[in-house]
Amino acid sequence: MLVILKRDDEEISRQAAQLIASGIHKKPALTLGLATGSTMVGVYKQLVHLHKQGSLDFSRVITFNLDEYLGLAAAHPQSFHYFMEENLFAHINVNPRNVHIPDGTIRGNYDQYCASYEESIRKAGGIDIQLLGIGRNGHIGFNEPTSSIGSRTRLKVLSKETLDDNAKFFAPGEESPRCAITMGIGTILEARKIVLLAAGAAKSAAVAKSIEGPITSAVSASALQLHPEVTFIIDDAAAAQLTQRDYYHRVLEMTALLTPDRLG
Ligand code: F6R
């Protein structure tokens, strides 16, 4: 596990975009796992900037998003389809045929649909780099506390904390979704490389538990400790409750010296 401590949201976005860009430079047909949410906005801005500068080509990149709200069509402004289009896809040269986001409008045979999403990931050769945010309750994707560490893509009921966090994005009186389709923790752990970003004080407890606490289904992101190649990129406020910050800085210095490739 590599913990990269940065000053603010701007710096974590730059670092994450650099890691992704270097992944695409090494493997132009990279399979990229994507997340949505406020933490991702800056990263996608940076990626769009690199693309517009002419230094980043997405034409062969394949993408798989982590999750989508159940009941929201792609055109709904709060859907993750809409978010991805607005913040990234409309501004880069990704081939729409290579874009995969769980369909929030499916009805009925959810298990079959989720199995087919997993199958498309397998057919694409698995995910090379998975980008993650983290919820205040430690969720990754919509794997809410008590999600099984071996879980696969499935229908998931959202926790009270997540519902509260989301309510502000929906119009007054509009009911926000109660469920989502999400990749499982087991699905996420199969990615070759994982990059988790966290910014802001509200995330500091979840970040500390995920990195320095025990592996527990009570904090889904703690399962990332089982992964051989995970990088946490965290700003000062989100890192405030970590007790080993000096050590992470020293590891980073040595990484830059000995294996700079890991930093993008
Ligand atoms: C979204 C997702 C979620 C978010 C998390 C943090 O696709 O998978 O796990 O990454 O809720 O969201 P923000 O960045 O809005 O705090």
Side-chain angles (χ1 to χ4, degrees), residues 4-9 11-12 198-201 204 233-242 245 249:
I4 303 182
L5 301 174
K6 292 283 177 189
R7 214 173 20 211
D8 54 22
D9 194 42
E11 284 192 0
I12 67 168
S204 61
I233 309 177
I234 301 161
D235 79 353
D236 276 346
Q241 296 189 43
L242 289 171
R245 288 198 296 273
H249 279 302

Side-chain angles (χ1 to χ4, degrees), residues 26-162:
K26 282 183 207 138
K27 183 179 178 188
L30 190 88
T31 302
L32 190 55
L34 296 173
T36 58
S38 52
T39 320
M40 296 302 138
V41 172
V43 184
Y44 296 153
K45 261 199 193 117
Q46 292 291 333
L47 289 176
V48 168
H49 176 68
L50 293 174
H51 171 69
K52 297 232 149 106
Q53 268 186 339
S55 60
L56 198 51
D57 175 19
F58 287 88
S59 61
R60 295 176 60 202
V61 171
I62 301 172
T63 68
F64 284 92
N65 266 78
L66 283 165
D67 41 18
E68 178 58 285
Y69 290 121
L70 191 71
L72 296 197
H76 190 291
Q78 297 312 328
S79 76
F80 290 165
H81 278 77
Y82 194 95
F83 176 98
M84 290 309 302
E85 202 53 33
E86 286 279 292
N87 287 285
L88 185 64
F89 297 148
H91 314 289
I92 59 173
N93 65 335
V94 69
N95 181 339
R97 281 202 308 260
N98 289 343
V99 167
H100 307 81
I101 307 178
D103 181 358
T105 66
I106 53 154
R107 296 262 177 283
N109 203 337
Y110 301 113
D111 289 351
Q112 195 182 1
Y113 175 77
C114 293
S116 74
Y117 198 70
E118 292 264 335
E119 183 55 23
S120 4
I121 296 175
R122 262 191 300 277
K123 276 199 185 132
I127 291 173
D128 292 305
I129 300 179
Q130 176 67 55
L131 202 52
L132 296 176
I134 183 170
R136 281 191 302 137
N137 61 5
H139 75 204
I140 46 176
F142 273 136
N143 294 287
E144 301 287 31
T146 73
S147 289
S148 150
I149 287 176
S151 53
R152 313 299 309 189
T153 302
R154 69 209 181 292
L155 186 66
K156 191 72 194 161
V157 176
L158 301 179
S159 69
K160 166 91 171 58
E161 212 162 13
T162 300

Side-chain angles (χ1 to χ4, degrees), residues 140-219:
I140 46 176
F142 273 136
N143 294 287
E144 301 287 31
T146 73
S147 289
S148 150
I149 287 176
S151 53
R152 313 299 309 189
T153 302
R154 69 209 181 292
L155 186 66
K156 191 72 194 161
V157 176
L158 301 179
S159 69
K160 166 91 171 58
E161 212 162 13
T162 300
L163 292 174
D164 290 348
D165 283 349
N166 289 345
K168 58 180 176 292
F169 298 114
F170 289 83
E174 185 183 10
E175 211 187 307
S176 62
R178 297 273 174 265
C179 295
I181 306 277
T182 181
M183 279 187 207
I185 299 176
T187 322
I188 292 169
L189 289 176
E190 277 173 11
R192 289 180 191 96
K193 189 180 176 110
I194 296 177
V195 179
L196 184 146
L197 308 186
K203 303 290 174 68
S204 61
V207 163
K209 286 181 197 159
S210 305
I211 297 176
E212 296 177 348
I215 297 174
T216 166
S217 65
V219 183

